[in-house]
Amino acid sequence: MTNLWAFLFVLGVLVFVHELGHFLLARWNGVRVLTFSLGFGPKLLKITRGGTEYCISAIPLGGYVKMAGETPDDPRSGSSDEFLSKSKWQRFQILIAGPLMNLLLAVGVMTFVIWNGATEPAFEQKAPVVGRVLPGSPAEKAGIKPGDLIVSFADKDVATWQGLQMRVVPRANREVPIVVRRDGQSQQFSIVPEAQTKYEIGDLGIAPSIHPEVAQVLPGSAAAEAGLQVKDVIVSFNGAETTGFTLQQMIEQISKRAGQPVTLGILRNGAPLELQATPRDQGGVGRLGINLSPFETVTITPGFVQAIGMSVKQNWEWTAMIGEMLAGLFTAETSPKQLMGPLGIAEVAGGAASIGWAALFGTMAMVSLNLGLLNLLPIPILDGGHITILAIEGLARRDFSMHVKERMLMAGFAVLMLLMVTVIYNDLRRVEWLSRLLSGS
Protein backbone atom coordinates (compact mmCIF):
# COMPACT_ATOMS: atom_id res chain seq x y z
CA MET A 1 0.00 0.00 0.00
CA THR A 2 2.94 2.34 0.64
CA ASN A 3 3.94 2.01 -3.02
CA LEU A 4 0.40 2.80 -4.19
CA TRP A 5 -0.11 5.88 -2.01
CA ALA A 6 3.38 7.21 -2.73
CA PHE A 7 2.80 6.71 -6.46
CA LEU A 8 -0.60 8.43 -6.40
CA PHE A 9 0.81 11.33 -4.39
CA VAL A 10 3.83 11.86 -6.67
CA LEU A 11 1.90 11.40 -9.91
CA GLY A 12 -1.04 13.47 -8.69
CA VAL A 13 1.18 16.44 -7.86
CA LEU A 14 3.11 16.20 -11.15
CA VAL A 15 -0.01 15.91 -13.33
CA PHE A 16 -1.76 18.73 -11.47
CA VAL A 17 1.23 21.06 -11.87
CA HIS A 18 1.62 20.16 -15.56
CA GLU A 19 -2.04 20.75 -16.43
CA LEU A 20 -2.14 23.87 -14.24
CA GLY A 21 0.54 25.35 -16.50
CA HIS A 22 -1.61 24.80 -19.59
CA PHE A 23 -4.70 26.07 -17.75
CA LEU A 24 -3.14 29.30 -16.44
CA LEU A 25 -1.56 30.28 -19.76
CA ALA A 26 -4.77 29.45 -21.61
CA ARG A 27 -6.73 31.74 -19.31
CA TRP A 28 -3.97 34.38 -19.50
CA ASN A 29 -4.28 34.41 -23.28
CA GLY A 30 -8.07 34.53 -23.20
CA VAL A 31 -8.76 30.92 -24.22
CA ARG A 32 -11.93 29.34 -22.85
CA VAL A 33 -11.13 26.16 -20.86
CA LEU A 34 -13.90 23.56 -20.98
CA THR A 35 -12.41 20.83 -18.76
CA PHE A 36 -9.59 20.45 -16.24
CA SER A 37 -9.24 16.75 -15.40
CA LEU A 38 -6.88 14.79 -13.18
CA GLY A 39 -6.95 11.30 -14.70
CA PHE A 40 -8.66 9.87 -17.77
CA GLY A 41 -11.83 7.93 -18.43
CA PRO A 42 -15.10 8.08 -16.46
CA LYS A 43 -15.42 11.14 -14.24
CA LEU A 44 -15.70 10.23 -10.55
CA LEU A 45 -16.03 13.74 -9.12
CA LYS A 46 -16.79 16.94 -10.95
CA ILE A 47 -17.75 20.54 -10.30
CA THR A 48 -18.31 23.43 -12.72
CA ARG A 49 -17.03 26.92 -11.97
CA GLY A 50 -16.70 29.86 -14.36
CA GLY A 51 -17.59 27.76 -17.38
CA THR A 52 -14.88 25.17 -16.64
CA GLU A 53 -15.60 21.63 -15.45
CA TYR A 54 -13.06 20.50 -12.86
CA CYS A 55 -13.00 16.73 -12.36
CA ILE A 56 -11.17 13.70 -11.04
CA SER A 57 -11.37 10.75 -13.42
CA ALA A 58 -11.04 7.01 -12.91
CA ILE A 59 -7.65 6.25 -14.52
CA PRO A 60 -4.95 8.08 -12.50
CA LEU A 61 -2.21 7.92 -15.14
CA GLY A 62 -2.28 11.49 -16.40
CA GLY A 63 -4.70 14.31 -16.97
CA TYR A 64 -5.79 16.88 -19.52
CA VAL A 65 -7.00 20.42 -20.10
CA LYS A 66 -9.64 20.64 -22.81
CA MET A 67 -9.83 24.06 -24.50
CA ALA A 68 -12.52 25.44 -26.78
CA GLY A 69 -11.66 24.98 -30.48
CA GLU A 70 -8.48 23.09 -29.59
CA THR A 71 -8.36 20.94 -32.72
CA PRO A 72 -9.73 21.40 -36.25
CA ASP A 73 -12.21 18.58 -35.54
CA ASP A 74 -13.76 20.44 -32.60
CA PRO A 75 -16.90 22.50 -33.14
CA ARG A 76 -15.71 26.02 -33.91
CA SER A 77 -17.48 29.33 -34.14
CA GLY A 78 -14.43 31.45 -34.94
CA SER A 79 -14.78 33.13 -31.55
CA SER A 80 -11.69 34.90 -30.21
CA ASP A 81 -11.70 32.71 -27.09
CA GLU A 82 -10.95 29.52 -29.05
CA PHE A 83 -7.47 28.01 -29.04
CA LEU A 84 -7.03 27.94 -32.82
CA SER A 85 -8.16 31.58 -33.05
CA LYS A 86 -5.03 32.64 -31.18
CA SER A 87 -1.69 33.53 -32.75
CA LYS A 88 1.09 30.96 -33.01
CA TRP A 89 2.99 32.79 -30.28
CA GLN A 90 0.02 32.54 -27.90
CA ARG A 91 -0.51 28.85 -28.70
CA PHE A 92 3.21 28.23 -28.15
CA GLN A 93 2.97 29.80 -24.68
CA ILE A 94 0.03 27.56 -23.74
CA LEU A 95 1.70 24.40 -25.06
CA ILE A 96 5.08 24.93 -23.43
CA ALA A 97 3.64 25.99 -20.07
CA GLY A 98 2.94 22.40 -18.94
CA PRO A 99 6.48 21.01 -19.44
CA LEU A 100 8.02 24.22 -18.04
CA MET A 101 5.93 23.89 -14.88
CA ASN A 102 7.33 20.38 -14.40
CA LEU A 103 10.88 21.63 -14.86
CA LEU A 104 10.29 24.48 -12.40
CA LEU A 105 8.71 22.05 -9.94
CA ALA A 106 11.81 19.82 -10.14
CA VAL A 107 14.06 22.78 -9.34
CA GLY A 108 11.71 24.05 -6.61
CA VAL A 109 11.32 20.70 -4.86
CA MET A 110 15.06 19.99 -4.89
CA THR A 111 15.72 23.50 -3.60
CA PHE A 112 13.41 22.77 -0.64
CA VAL A 113 15.07 19.39 0.02
CA ILE A 114 18.61 20.79 -0.12
CA TRP A 115 17.72 23.90 1.89
CA ASN A 116 16.43 21.72 4.72
CA GLY A 117 19.76 19.90 4.88
CA ALA A 118 20.93 17.09 2.65
CA THR A 119 23.20 14.19 3.55
CA GLU A 120 25.20 12.62 0.75
CA PRO A 121 28.19 10.28 0.38
CA ALA A 122 31.43 12.18 0.84
CA PHE A 123 33.16 10.29 -1.97
CA GLU A 124 30.71 11.35 -4.71
CA GLN A 125 32.42 14.69 -5.37
CA LYS A 126 35.96 13.27 -5.13
CA ALA A 127 38.18 12.12 -8.00
CA PRO A 128 37.37 8.52 -9.02
CA VAL A 129 40.44 6.78 -7.59
CA VAL A 130 39.81 3.03 -7.35
CA GLY A 131 40.02 1.82 -3.75
CA ARG A 132 38.79 -1.73 -4.23
CA VAL A 133 38.21 -4.09 -7.17
CA LEU A 134 35.72 -6.90 -6.58
CA PRO A 135 36.94 -10.41 -7.50
CA GLY A 136 35.53 -11.60 -10.83
CA SER A 137 34.12 -8.15 -11.64
CA PRO A 138 34.23 -6.44 -15.05
CA ALA A 139 36.94 -4.15 -13.68
CA GLU A 140 39.18 -7.06 -12.65
CA LYS A 141 38.65 -8.77 -16.02
CA ALA A 142 39.55 -5.53 -17.81
CA GLY A 143 42.75 -5.07 -15.80
CA ILE A 144 41.72 -2.20 -13.52
CA LYS A 145 43.70 -2.09 -10.25
CA PRO A 146 43.37 -0.33 -6.88
CA GLY A 147 45.00 3.09 -7.06
CA ASP A 148 44.01 3.69 -10.69
CA LEU A 149 42.54 7.13 -11.37
CA ILE A 150 39.71 6.87 -13.90
CA VAL A 151 39.95 9.86 -16.22
CA SER A 152 37.61 8.86 -19.06
CA PHE A 153 34.71 6.49 -19.60
CA ALA A 154 32.86 5.87 -22.88
CA ASP A 155 35.00 8.58 -24.55
CA LYS A 156 33.95 11.28 -22.07
CA ASP A 157 36.12 12.78 -19.31
CA VAL A 158 35.01 12.09 -15.74
CA ALA A 159 36.16 14.16 -12.77
CA THR A 160 34.17 12.69 -9.86
CA TRP A 161 32.71 9.39 -8.69
CA GLN A 162 29.22 10.82 -9.25
CA GLY A 163 30.09 11.73 -12.84
CA LEU A 164 31.50 8.24 -13.43
CA GLN A 165 28.39 6.57 -11.98
CA MET A 166 26.10 8.62 -14.22
CA ARG A 167 28.01 7.39 -17.28
CA VAL A 168 28.21 3.74 -16.19
CA VAL A 169 24.55 3.28 -15.17
CA PRO A 170 22.98 3.27 -18.69
CA ARG A 171 25.68 1.10 -20.30
CA ALA A 172 25.07 -2.36 -18.87
CA ASN A 173 26.29 -5.18 -21.12
CA ARG A 174 27.86 -2.70 -23.57
CA GLU A 175 31.60 -2.77 -24.34
CA VAL A 176 33.02 0.71 -23.76
CA PRO A 177 36.52 2.20 -23.53
CA ILE A 178 37.87 3.29 -20.15
CA VAL A 179 41.05 5.33 -19.60
CA VAL A 180 42.94 5.27 -16.29
CA ARG A 181 46.05 7.02 -15.02
CA ARG A 182 48.47 4.57 -13.37
CA ASP A 183 51.90 5.63 -12.11
CA GLY A 184 51.58 8.86 -14.08
CA GLN A 185 50.83 7.06 -17.36
CA SER A 186 47.49 6.85 -19.18
CA GLN A 187 46.26 3.38 -20.10
CA GLN A 188 43.15 2.43 -22.05
CA PHE A 189 41.10 -0.73 -21.56
CA SER A 190 37.80 -2.10 -22.82
CA ILE A 191 35.21 -2.96 -20.21
CA VAL A 192 31.67 -4.38 -20.19
CA PRO A 193 29.63 -3.15 -17.17
CA GLU A 194 27.49 -5.87 -15.59
CA ALA A 195 23.73 -5.46 -15.31
CA GLN A 196 22.80 -5.21 -11.62
CA THR A 197 19.31 -5.40 -10.07
CA LYS A 198 16.11 -5.91 -12.01
CA TYR A 199 16.53 -2.43 -13.51
CA GLU A 200 19.76 -3.60 -15.23
CA ILE A 201 21.93 -0.81 -13.85
CA GLY A 202 25.47 -0.84 -15.18
CA ASP A 203 28.16 -1.71 -12.61
CA LEU A 204 31.96 -1.98 -12.95
CA GLY A 205 32.64 -3.82 -9.69
CA ILE A 206 34.84 -1.11 -8.19
CA ALA A 207 34.54 1.05 -5.09
CA PRO A 208 36.30 4.12 -3.74
CA SER A 209 38.40 4.08 -0.58
CA ILE A 210 35.59 4.31 1.96
CA HIS A 211 35.15 3.46 5.62
CA PRO A 212 32.05 2.71 7.72
CA GLU A 213 30.59 5.69 9.53
CA VAL A 214 28.59 5.61 12.74
CA ALA A 215 25.04 6.71 11.92
CA GLN A 216 23.45 6.03 15.33
CA VAL A 217 24.62 5.14 18.85
CA LEU A 218 21.99 3.51 21.05
CA PRO A 219 21.81 4.98 24.59
CA GLY A 220 23.33 2.72 27.25
CA SER A 221 24.96 0.45 24.63
CA ALA A 222 28.52 -0.85 24.63
CA ALA A 223 29.38 1.73 21.96
CA ALA A 224 27.99 4.57 24.09
CA GLU A 225 30.02 3.40 27.11
CA ALA A 226 33.14 3.25 24.94
CA GLY A 227 32.61 6.85 23.80
CA LEU A 228 31.64 6.28 20.17
CA GLN A 229 29.75 9.19 18.62
CA VAL A 230 27.61 9.74 15.55
CA LYS A 231 29.76 10.69 12.50
CA ASP A 232 32.80 8.80 13.84
CA VAL A 233 34.53 7.09 10.90
CA ILE A 234 35.89 3.61 11.66
CA VAL A 235 39.20 3.32 9.79
CA SER A 236 40.52 0.17 11.50
CA PHE A 237 39.20 -2.80 13.46
CA ASN A 238 41.69 -4.61 15.74
CA GLY A 239 44.49 -3.12 13.65
CA ALA A 240 43.02 -4.17 10.27
CA GLU A 241 42.18 -1.41 7.79
CA THR A 242 38.46 -1.21 7.04
CA THR A 243 38.92 0.15 3.50
CA GLY A 244 38.28 -3.28 2.02
CA PHE A 245 35.37 -4.11 4.33
CA THR A 246 31.82 -4.18 3.10
CA LEU A 247 29.18 -3.14 5.61
CA GLN A 248 28.17 -6.80 6.02
CA GLN A 249 31.77 -7.82 6.71
CA MET A 250 32.06 -5.13 9.36
CA ILE A 251 28.91 -6.36 11.07
CA GLU A 252 30.20 -9.95 10.93
CA GLN A 253 33.49 -8.93 12.55
CA ILE A 254 31.60 -7.40 15.47
CA SER A 255 29.14 -10.31 15.71
CA LYS A 256 31.94 -12.89 16.11
CA ARG A 257 33.45 -11.12 19.14
CA ALA A 258 30.74 -11.25 21.78
CA GLY A 259 32.29 -10.40 25.14
CA GLN A 260 35.75 -9.81 23.60
CA PRO A 261 37.37 -6.36 23.75
CA VAL A 262 38.06 -4.85 20.34
CA THR A 263 40.10 -1.83 19.30
CA LEU A 264 38.47 0.68 16.98
CA GLY A 265 40.59 3.19 15.11
CA ILE A 266 38.39 6.16 14.27
CA LEU A 267 38.51 9.59 12.73
CA ARG A 268 36.53 12.24 14.61
CA ASN A 269 36.38 15.59 12.86
CA GLY A 270 39.49 14.52 10.98
CA ALA A 271 41.49 13.68 14.12
CA PRO A 272 42.59 10.03 14.70
CA LEU A 273 41.53 8.28 17.91
CA GLU A 274 41.59 4.75 19.32
CA LEU A 275 38.74 3.40 21.43
CA GLN A 276 38.27 0.12 23.29
CA ALA A 277 34.81 -1.47 23.19
CA THR A 278 33.40 -4.86 24.18
CA PRO A 279 30.48 -6.15 22.09
CA ARG A 280 27.73 -7.43 24.36
CA ASP A 281 26.65 -11.04 24.09
CA GLN A 282 23.08 -11.21 22.75
CA GLY A 283 22.26 -14.86 22.14
CA GLY A 284 25.82 -15.64 21.17
CA VAL A 285 26.05 -12.66 18.82
CA GLY A 286 28.18 -9.61 19.56
CA ARG A 287 26.43 -6.25 19.52
CA LEU A 288 27.98 -2.80 20.00
CA GLY A 289 24.65 -0.97 19.74
CA ILE A 290 25.40 1.13 16.67
CA ASN A 291 23.95 1.60 13.21
CA LEU A 292 26.50 2.04 10.46
CA SER A 293 26.57 3.80 7.13
CA PRO A 294 28.77 1.99 4.57
CA PHE A 295 30.61 5.22 3.77
CA GLU A 296 31.49 8.62 5.13
CA THR A 297 28.79 11.24 4.64
CA VAL A 298 28.66 15.02 4.49
CA THR A 299 25.69 17.10 5.56
CA ILE A 300 24.98 20.19 3.52
CA THR A 301 23.04 23.07 5.11
CA PRO A 302 23.14 25.87 2.53
CA GLY A 303 21.32 29.18 2.52
CA PHE A 304 18.25 29.55 0.35
CA VAL A 305 20.02 31.22 -2.59
CA GLN A 306 22.82 28.64 -2.48
CA ALA A 307 20.20 25.87 -2.36
CA ILE A 308 18.65 27.22 -5.57
CA GLY A 309 22.03 27.10 -7.30
CA MET A 310 22.70 23.57 -6.07
CA SER A 311 19.24 22.47 -7.21
CA VAL A 312 19.78 23.92 -10.68
CA LYS A 313 23.16 22.15 -10.88
CA GLN A 314 21.64 18.83 -9.78
CA ASN A 315 18.78 19.10 -12.26
CA TRP A 316 21.20 19.99 -15.04
CA GLU A 317 23.26 16.87 -14.26
CA TRP A 318 20.08 14.77 -14.29
CA THR A 319 19.10 16.38 -17.60
CA ALA A 320 22.46 15.45 -19.12
CA MET A 321 22.06 11.87 -17.90
CA ILE A 322 18.49 11.64 -19.27
CA GLY A 323 19.68 13.09 -22.59
CA GLU A 324 22.47 10.50 -22.79
CA MET A 325 20.05 7.68 -22.01
CA LEU A 326 17.58 8.85 -24.67
CA ALA A 327 20.36 9.21 -27.23
CA GLY A 328 21.64 5.79 -26.19
CA LEU A 329 18.28 4.23 -27.04
CA PHE A 330 18.80 5.26 -30.67
CA THR A 331 22.47 4.19 -30.79
CA ALA A 332 21.84 0.91 -28.87
CA GLU A 333 24.20 2.02 -26.07
CA THR A 334 21.30 2.04 -23.59
CA SER A 335 19.11 -1.00 -23.14
CA PRO A 336 15.33 -0.37 -23.42
CA LYS A 337 15.05 -2.71 -20.42
CA GLN A 338 16.19 0.16 -18.19
CA LEU A 339 13.01 2.13 -18.91
CA MET A 340 10.33 1.94 -16.24
CA GLY A 341 6.58 2.51 -16.31
CA PRO A 342 3.89 3.06 -13.67
CA LEU A 343 4.72 -0.06 -11.63
CA GLY A 344 8.41 0.80 -11.60
CA ILE A 345 7.75 4.40 -10.58
CA ALA A 346 5.39 3.17 -7.85
CA GLU A 347 8.08 0.85 -6.48
CA VAL A 348 10.73 3.58 -6.50
CA ALA A 349 8.33 6.09 -4.90
CA GLY A 350 7.31 3.56 -2.25
CA GLY A 351 10.92 2.76 -1.44
CA ALA A 352 11.72 6.47 -1.17
CA ALA A 353 8.69 7.04 1.10
CA SER A 354 9.89 4.30 3.45
CA ILE A 355 13.24 6.12 3.79
CA GLY A 356 11.75 9.52 4.57
CA TRP A 357 10.20 12.68 3.18
CA ALA A 358 13.49 13.97 1.72
CA ALA A 359 13.94 10.81 -0.38
CA LEU A 360 10.29 10.93 -1.51
CA PHE A 361 10.50 14.57 -2.57
CA GLY A 362 13.86 13.95 -4.26
CA THR A 363 12.19 11.18 -6.26
CA MET A 364 9.32 13.55 -7.09
CA ALA A 365 11.81 16.10 -8.44
CA MET A 366 13.51 13.49 -10.62
CA VAL A 367 10.22 12.15 -12.03
CA SER A 368 8.96 15.71 -12.62
CA LEU A 369 12.11 16.50 -14.59
CA ASN A 370 11.65 13.33 -16.65
CA LEU A 371 8.01 14.21 -17.33
CA GLY A 372 8.86 17.76 -18.39
CA LEU A 373 11.68 16.67 -20.71
CA LEU A 374 9.63 13.81 -22.19
CA ASN A 375 6.82 16.21 -23.06
CA LEU A 376 9.30 18.49 -24.85
CA LEU A 377 10.40 15.75 -27.25
CA PRO A 378 9.40 16.58 -30.85
CA ILE A 379 6.94 13.68 -31.05
CA PRO A 380 3.53 14.60 -32.48
CA ILE A 381 0.78 14.18 -29.85
CA LEU A 382 3.16 15.38 -27.09
CA ASP A 383 3.47 19.09 -26.26
CA GLY A 384 6.89 19.15 -27.90
CA GLY A 385 5.43 17.68 -31.09
CA HIS A 386 2.74 20.35 -31.30
CA ILE A 387 5.39 23.01 -30.66
CA THR A 388 7.55 21.57 -33.45
CA ILE A 389 4.63 21.64 -35.89
CA LEU A 390 3.92 25.27 -34.92
CA ALA A 391 7.58 26.17 -35.47
CA ILE A 392 7.72 24.50 -38.90
CA GLU A 393 4.48 26.20 -39.93
CA GLY A 394 5.88 29.50 -38.76
CA LEU A 395 9.08 29.06 -40.76
CA ALA A 396 7.16 27.91 -43.84
CA ARG A 397 4.64 30.74 -43.36
CA ARG A 398 1.76 28.41 -44.07
CA ASP A 399 -0.22 25.82 -42.13
CA PHE A 400 -0.12 22.13 -42.87
CA SER A 401 -3.25 20.56 -44.28
CA MET A 402 -5.53 18.55 -42.01
CA HIS A 403 -4.45 15.36 -43.80
CA VAL A 404 -0.75 16.00 -43.07
CA LYS A 405 -1.43 16.87 -39.44
CA GLU A 406 -3.50 13.73 -38.95
CA ARG A 407 -0.70 11.57 -40.35
CA MET A 408 1.81 13.29 -38.05
CA LEU A 409 -0.41 12.72 -35.01
CA MET A 410 -0.94 9.07 -35.92
CA ALA A 411 2.83 8.57 -36.24
CA GLY A 412 3.34 10.25 -32.87
CA PHE A 413 0.62 8.10 -31.33
CA ALA A 414 2.31 4.96 -32.67
CA VAL A 415 5.67 6.00 -31.17
CA LEU A 416 4.02 6.78 -27.83
CA MET A 417 2.18 3.45 -27.78
CA LEU A 418 5.43 1.62 -28.56
CA LEU A 419 7.06 3.41 -25.63
CA MET A 420 4.13 2.57 -23.32
CA VAL A 421 4.15 -1.10 -24.33
CA THR A 422 7.92 -1.24 -23.71
CA VAL A 423 7.81 0.28 -20.23
CA ILE A 424 4.78 -1.75 -19.14
CA TYR A 425 6.43 -4.96 -20.42
CA ASN A 426 9.58 -4.01 -18.47
CA ASP A 427 7.49 -3.48 -15.33
CA LEU A 428 5.83 -6.87 -15.71
CA ARG A 429 9.20 -8.57 -16.25
CA ARG A 430 10.37 -7.23 -12.92
CA VAL A 431 7.51 -8.95 -11.07
CA GLU A 432 9.03 -12.33 -10.26
CA TRP A 433 6.08 -14.63 -10.95
CA LEU A 434 5.06 -12.71 -14.06
CA SER A 435 8.66 -12.80 -15.30
CA ARG A 436 8.62 -16.60 -15.08
CA LEU A 437 5.28 -16.66 -16.93
CA LEU A 438 6.50 -14.33 -19.71
CA SER A 439 9.70 -16.34 -20.16
CA GLY A 440 7.73 -19.59 -20.28
CA SER A 441 9.65 -21.13 -17.38
Side-chain angles (χ1 to χ4, degrees):
M1 286 300 292
T2 300
N3 288 6
L4 176 61
W5 289 116
F7 171 71
L8 292 177
F9 170 69
V10 169
L11 190 64
V13 171
L14 302 191
V15 170
F16 173 76
V17 167
H18 182 94
E19 300 305 335
L20 182 64
H22 292 312
F23 174 81
L24 292 177
L25 265 293
R27 296 291 291 266
W28 175 266
N29 284 285
V31 175
R32 181 161 39 95
V33 178
L34 304 177
T35 308
F36 185 122
S37 176
L38 295 181
F40 298 106
K43 297 170 182 176
L44 304 178
L45 297 172
K46 58 183 179 180
I47 186 173
T48 301
R49 290 287 185 274
T52 301
E53 182 183 67
Y54 302 90
C55 57
I56 297 176
S57 301
I59 305 173
L61 297 178
Y64 63 93
V65 165
K66 176 63 179 173
M67 294 171 280
E70 186 174 353
T71 70
D73 291 335
D74 291 338
R76 294 186 60 198
S77 64
S79 172
S80 62
D81 64 359
E82 293 178 344
F83 178 75
L84 289 177
S85 297
K86 300 300 179 180
S87 68
K88 285 184 171 59
W89 169 241
Q90 289 173 310
R91 281 181 275 162
F92 167 78
Q93 294 175 54
I94 296 168
L95 290 169
I96 203 170
L100 283 184
M101 286 287 278
N102 283 124
L103 301 184
L104 290 173
L105 178 67
V107 173
V109 168
M110 277 309 297
T111 297
F112 177 73
V113 171
I114 294 170
W115 186 41
N116 279 272
T119 299
E120 61 183 30
F123 70 84
E124 283 192 340
Q125 300 305 320
K126 293 182 180 178
V129 177
V130 178
R132 183 161 55 97
V133 178
L134 299 182
S137 66
E140 185 184 60
K141 295 173 183 175
I144 307 297
K145 296 180 179 180
D148 287 348
L149 169 64
I150 299 174
V151 296
S152 172
F153 184 83
D155 298 319
K156 290 286 184 67
D157 291 344
V158 290
T160 65
W161 276 102
Q162 185 180 56
L164 174 63
Q165 289 170 333
M166 290 175 69
R167 296 199 59 75
V168 173
V169 164
R171 291 177 170 82
N173 301 322
R174 301 292 191 272
E175 185 175 355
V176 292
I178 182 171
V179 178
V180 305
R181 186 165 293 124
R182 181 186 298 168
D183 300 325
Q185 301 293 320
S186 292
Q187 298 188 35
Q188 179 169 319
F189 305 91
S190 290
I191 193 167
V192 181
E194 284 183 340
Q196 297 288 346
T197 79
K198 59 188 177 183
Y199 296 106
E200 300 200 1
I201 294 171
D203 181 68
L204 300 179
I206 59 175
S209 294
I210 54 176
H211 303 88
E213 182 181 86
V214 178
Q216 182 184 23
V217 179
L218 300 179
S221 64
E225 291 178 0
L228 271 175
Q229 298 178 11
V230 172
K231 300 293 287 184
D232 282 349
V233 178
I234 302 175
V235 295
S236 67
F237 183 88
N238 278 348
E241 290 286 329
T242 60
T243 302
F245 283 19
T246 65
L247 188 58
Q248 185 59 37
Q249 288 172 330
M250 187 71 194
I251 294 171
E252 288 174 357
Q253 291 294 322
I254 296 170
S255 299
K256 292 189 297 186
R257 290 171 170 79
Q260 304 174 30
V262 297
T263 302
L264 301 174
I266 67 169
L267 286 177
R268 181 177 295 167
N269 298 323
L273 292 172
E274 274 198 357
L275 298 176
Q276 300 289 326
T278 303
R280 291 178 182 167
D281 190 334
Q282 295 183 3
V285 178
R287 293 284 185 264
L288 281 176
I290 56 175
N291 288 325
L292 293 172
S293 164
F295 40 70
E296 303 97 312
T297 61
V298 292
T299 301
I300 305 166
T301 53
F304 185 69
V305 174
Q306 187 182 3
I308 295 174
M310 293 173 69
S311 174
V312 170
K313 181 175 180 290
Q314 177 65 79
N315 276 277
W316 177 252
E317 290 174 351
W318 282 342
T319 299
M321 182 178 69
I322 294 167
E324 279 199 23
M325 291 188 70
L326 290 173
L329 291 174
F330 292 98
T331 61
E333 285 188 337
T334 302
S335 170
K337 294 178 181 178
Q338 291 191 339
L339 300 175
M340 69 173 67
L343 292 179
I345 295 172
E347 185 174 8
V348 171
S354 66
I355 295 172
W357 70 266
L360 178 61
F361 278 81
T363 300
M364 178 187 291
M366 181 59 163
V367 178
S368 185
L369 181 69
N370 272 270
L371 181 61
L373 294 175
L374 176 64
N375 270 280
L376 286 175
L377 292 178
I379 299 174
I381 211 171
L382 296 178
D383 294 325
H386 290 296
I387 291 170
T388 301
I389 292 172
L390 273 180
I392 296 173
E393 289 179 336
L395 291 173
R397 297 188 178 181
R398 66 181 182 85
D399 291 350
F400 292 127
S401 68
M402 270 294 299
H403 179 66
V404 171
K405 287 185 178 180
E406 285 174 357
R407 296 186 67 174
M408 286 181 172
L409 292 175
M410 286 302 297
F413 181 76
V415 171
L416 199 59
M417 286 301 100
L418 177 62
L419 178 62
M420 288 299 296
V421 169
T422 301
V423 299
I424 291 173
Y425 178 76
N426 287 348
D427 282 351
L428 295 179
R429 283 182 60 255
R430 294 171 187 136
V431 179
E432 187 175 348
W433 67 271
L434 280 174
S435 177
R436 291 197 299 268
L437 183 64
L438 290 170
S439 62
S441 60

